[in-house]
């Protein structure tokens, strides 16, 4: 299990959604990737290792920027441009980036398996995938004075994709052939805005700091899928199936973190509260006598609400030149409620 953070904050995504988000990020916007095999109690109790992707922030004074243009050529050509624009003076740092992807991919696979002396299985799959992705980021850091800083960040991704595929399976046994063909078309729209407001205070010359973060995260998806399955033996039969899958995931969080270095080691402690609301509404329909009929065995509407309140304390100290000791304690209280409305 791996937890992925972006600039120290949970990505709140997993599986295919996380893959799509990471694939839309341009390497030019990443400063470094940190791998934490044994994360401290500061991090949420999700288990496993932590990967923290730190994005580039402007470090140059004045106005600066960059423009990139990439292309990929296979059966189709893909265009992937991007740009950054930044401004910095003694007290203000403004940074921004925008990346765009318009890509088309083709896939094709075939297999022929001999199951027995009289049985054979032939499979074929091919199709096309098209994507249009917009990835954006705008941030402002303002130094009130040498020890107090406030900032704001808005970022997000819009992803529209379409998959058109064909799959055939031919099972022959003792000269009798059973063939099934599937044509499917998937249209998907994903929007993923996120915002952060923070305040950081350096308390003294020992760099004891207090940081307050307010975060908002949203992930929304609209899926439309159509399936046409044809079964062919002595005669043929067509089945038509479609689904509408809409979902949203909204996360609100507030956190306060304190770093307190001393001569005998560094203490860290903090509090965090997170509220999540997820709603998924999936409707499956079968075509019967030229009318689309709700398939209640597959359709469902699910609403999930969760509140997590957490606190942590950790102590870190170097022992000699070769040893490091870290001790931590974290407590979390979760209150959740799920409502399955059904089809």
């Amino acid at each position: 299990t791996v937890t992925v953070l972006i600039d120290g904050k949970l990505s709140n995504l997993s599986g295919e959604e996380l893959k799509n988000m990471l694939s839309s990020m341009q390497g030019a916007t990443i400063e470094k990737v940190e791998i934490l095999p044994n994360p401290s109690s500061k991090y949420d109790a999700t288990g496993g290792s932590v990967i923290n992707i730190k994005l580039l922030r402007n470090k140059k004074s004045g106005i600066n920027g960059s423009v990139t243009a990439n292309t990929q050529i296979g059966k189709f050509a893909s265009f992937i441009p991007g740009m950054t624009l930044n401004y910095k003076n003694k007290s203000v740092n403004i940074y921004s980036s925008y990346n765009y992807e318009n890509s088309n991919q083709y896939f094709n696979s075939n297999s022929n398996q001999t199951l027995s002396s009289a049985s054979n299985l032939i499979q074929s799959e091919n199709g096309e995938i098209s994507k249009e992705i917009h990835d954006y980021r705008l941030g402002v850091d303002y130094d009130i004075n040498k020890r107090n800083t406030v900032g704001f960040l808005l970022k997000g991704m819009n992803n529209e994709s379409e998959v058109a595929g064909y799959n055939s399976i031919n099972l022959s046994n003792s000269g009798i052939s059973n063939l099934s063909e599937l044509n499917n078309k998937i249209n998907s729209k994903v929007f993923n805005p996120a915002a952060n407001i923070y305040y950081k205070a350096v308390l003294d010359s020992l760099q004891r700091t207090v940081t307050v973060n307010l975060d908002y995260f949203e992930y929304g998806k609209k899926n439309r899928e159509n399936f046409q399955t044809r079964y062919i033996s002595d005669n043929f039969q067509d089945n038509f199936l479609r689904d509408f899958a809409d979902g949203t995931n909204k996360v609100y969080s507030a956190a306060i973190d304190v770093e307190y270095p001393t001569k005998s080691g560094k203490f860290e402690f903090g509090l965090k509260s997170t509220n999540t609301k997820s709603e998924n509404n999936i409707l499956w329909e079968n075509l019967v006598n030229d009318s689309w009929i709700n398939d209640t065995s597959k359709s469902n509407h699910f609403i999930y609400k969760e509140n997590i309140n957490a606190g942590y304390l950790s102590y870190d100290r170097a022992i000699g030149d070769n040893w490091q000791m870290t001790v931590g304690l974290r407590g979390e209280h979760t209150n959740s409620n799920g409502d399955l409305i059904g089809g």
Side-chain angles (χ1 to χ4, degrees):
T1 303
V2 175
T3 300
V4 177
L5 308 179
I6 308 295
D7 284 334
K9 295 179 174 54
L10 280 172
S11 62
N12 295 298
L13 298 174
S14 61
E16 191 66 24
E17 287 83 7
L18 177 61
K19 177 183 175 182
N20 290 335
M21 188 271 290
L22 294 176
S23 66
S24 70
M25 296 176 63
Q26 295 293 317
T29 64
I30 298 173
E31 180 180 4
K32 62 180 178 179
V33 178
E34 299 176 331
I35 299 177
L36 308 176
N38 298 295
S40 72
S41 58
K42 177 179 180 179
Y43 298 96
D44 292 36
T46 53
S49 301
V50 169
I51 294 177
N52 183 28
I53 301 174
K54 301 193 73 173
L55 301 180
L56 277 173
R57 286 204 175 190
N58 181 38
K59 298 179 181 179
K60 299 179 180 179
S61 297
I63 299 176
N64 62 84
S66 64
V67 176
T68 60
N70 299 303
T71 185
Q72 299 172 352
I73 299 177
K75 181 176 181 179
F76 303 105
S78 301
F79 185 47
I80 311 174
M83 63 170 291
T84 64
L85 183 62
N86 310 298
Y87 171 76
K88 183 178 181 180
N89 60 26
K90 290 183 178 181
S91 59
V92 177
N93 182 22
I94 303 174
Y95 52 96
S96 65
S97 65
Y98 171 75
N99 296 287
Y100 173 75
E101 177 179 343
N102 190 327
S103 63
N104 294 276
Q105 299 174 339
Y106 173 80
F107 61 90
N108 182 31
S109 64
N110 300 278
S111 67
N112 190 335
Q113 302 176 63
T114 301
L115 306 179
S116 66
S117 59
S119 181
N120 198 52
L121 178 65
I122 301 175
Q123 292 179 280
S124 177
E125 182 181 20
N126 63 76
E128 298 178 5
I129 303 173
S130 63
K131 294 181 181 180
E132 184 174 5
I133 300 175
H134 303 267
D135 180 86
Y136 54 88
R137 184 170 65 125
L138 174 64
V140 179
D141 299 323
Y142 175 66
D143 295 329
I144 301 172
N145 51 45
K146 291 183 178 181
R147 292 190 175 181
N148 294 273
T149 303
V150 295
F152 169 79
L153 173 64
L154 173 66
K155 63 180 180 179
M157 174 192 69
N158 289 2
N159 182 351
E160 293 191 26
S161 63
E162 181 177 296
V163 180
Y166 168 82
N167 183 289
S168 70
I169 300 176
N170 189 358
L171 176 62
S172 60
N173 190 1
S174 300
I176 300 175
S177 179
N178 292 281
L179 174 65
S180 66
E181 297 178 329
L182 170 65
N183 287 285
N184 68 297
K185 188 174 183 180
I186 304 172
N187 292 281
S188 177
K189 294 183 179 181
V190 172
F191 50 97
N192 177 212
N196 166 260
I197 299 174
Y198 80 91
Y199 167 73
K200 182 178 180 180
V202 180
L203 303 179
D204 52 31
S205 59
L206 293 178
Q207 296 300 303
R208 294 166 177 162
T209 63
V210 177
T211 305
V212 179
N213 279 283
L214 301 175
D215 288 279
Y216 170 77
F217 169 89
E218 181 178 350
Y219 183 87
K221 178 175 66 174
K222 292 182 180 293
N223 257 26
R224 302 291 182 264
E225 298 180 275
N226 288 274
F227 303 90
Q228 177 189 358
T229 307
R230 169 170 287 188
Y231 302 97
I232 303 172
S233 52
D234 294 334
N235 51 25
F236 68 85
Q237 177 184 359
D238 286 337
N239 287 337
F240 294 88
L241 178 68
R242 71 182 184 183
D243 82 282
F244 303 85
D246 296 344
T248 58
N249 182 21
K250 297 181 180 181
V251 182
Y252 304 84
S253 67
I256 179 169
D257 299 283
V258 179
E259 294 185 10
Y260 198 87
T262 67
K263 293 182 180 179
S264 59
K266 184 174 78 170
F267 291 90
E268 291 184 277
F269 53 92
L271 300 170
K272 182 179 181 180
S273 179
T274 304
N275 285 280
T276 302
K277 180 181 179 181
S278 300
E279 183 172 359
N280 291 282
N281 191 2
I282 302 175
L283 173 65
W284 285 91
E285 295 180 331
N286 294 297
L287 185 63
V288 180
N289 297 325
D290 296 326
S291 298
W292 289 102
I293 306 299
N294 181 16
D295 188 339
T296 56
S297 66
K298 298 184 178 70
S299 301
N300 70 77
H301 186 187
F302 184 64
I303 300 174
Y304 177 77
K305 297 179 181 180
E306 180 183 74
N307 170 244
I308 300 177
N309 297 301
Y312 73 92
L313 170 66
S314 68
Y315 173 71
D316 187 83
R317 179 180 179 179
I319 303 175
D321 296 328
N322 301 318
W323 296 91
Q324 189 81 15
M325 179 182 71
T326 301
V327 179
L329 178 66
R330 183 181 183 90
E332 291 190 359
H333 176 266
T334 300
N335 182 32
S336 60
N337 179 67
D339 186 9
L340 180 60
I341 300 174

